[in-house]
Amino acid sequence: QLLQRRLIKKTEQVIEKDSILQEQGKKYLEIKKVLARQPGTEVSEQLAVYQSGIKEKSKQMKAMAGELNMHMAQVNEYKFEIERLSSELHDIKRKYFEQKRREALAKEKNFPFGMENQVL
């Protein structure tokens, strides 16, 4: 009887330890799965390369945006200059044709009836 009790007690201990072992085995597998999903060193190195690339491209983009703004301002200046020169040209043409008309009227006053082509 004493041996039976000891055997039963030992069996219970073995069953308890076995269940603890199975539980720890499950935890081990879960942790192993989680670690397998974690990025490795290659991934973190690649990520660092991508981040530095993005940083560089951002700098380039900001510089290009500044240049674009500068060029757009210059284009606006040129447009205003073209508009001013066009207006000035229009005024000069108007004055020129007005002067020609005055000269023609003055010539007509001096030589009425188409006599301006004849030499006196």
Side-chain angles (χ1 to χ4, degrees):
Q1 264 184 338
L2 185 62
L3 285 176
Q4 266 185 339
R5 280 188 219 148
R6 281 167 121 189
L7 184 62
I8 292 172
K9 198 174 196 178
K10 289 289 181 188
T11 306
E12 287 173 355
Q13 285 176 350
V14 167
I15 292 173
E16 188 178 320
K17 285 185 180 183
D18 190 41
S19 90
I20 291 172
L21 243 161
Q22 285 180 356
E23 212 174 291
Q24 286 180 345
K26 286 180 186 177
K27 285 181 184 178
Y28 170 78
L29 290 175
E30 286 176 23
I31 291 173
K32 190 175 178 182
K33 284 180 187 178
V34 169
L35 287 176
R37 285 184 279 170
Q38 295 295 319
T41 57
E42 312 87 34
V43 174
S44 61
E45 288 172 2
Q46 192 66 33
L47 183 63
V49 169
Y50 288 152
Q51 284 175 335
S52 68
I54 288 172
K55 221 178 219 182
E56 185 64 32
K57 293 292 180 186
S58 294
K59 283 182 186 177
Q60 288 177 356
M61 211 166 76
K62 285 180 183 177
M64 288 175 76
E67 288 179 27
L68 178 64
N69 286 337
M70 182 184 70
H71 289 301
M72 287 176 73
Q74 196 172 21
V75 165
N76 284 334
E77 287 178 24
Y78 290 151
K79 282 181 182 178
F80 288 129
E81 182 69 12
I82 288 170
E83 192 175 311
R84 185 188 65 77
L85 290 173
S86 293
S87 176
E88 190 177 321
L89 178 64
H90 179 71
D91 287 345
I92 291 172
K93 280 183 179 179
R94 183 183 51 77
K95 287 177 184 176
Y96 172 78
F97 287 118
E98 192 175 303
Q99 181 66 30
K100 283 291 190 185
R101 187 178 57 79
R102 276 193 222 131
E103 287 174 5
L105 284 175
K107 217 178 204 185
E108 193 176 298
K109 269 187 179 177
N110 291 337
F111 300 103
F113 307 113
M115 291 175 49
E116 66 270 2
N117 292 335
Q118 298 175 358
V119 179
L120 297 175

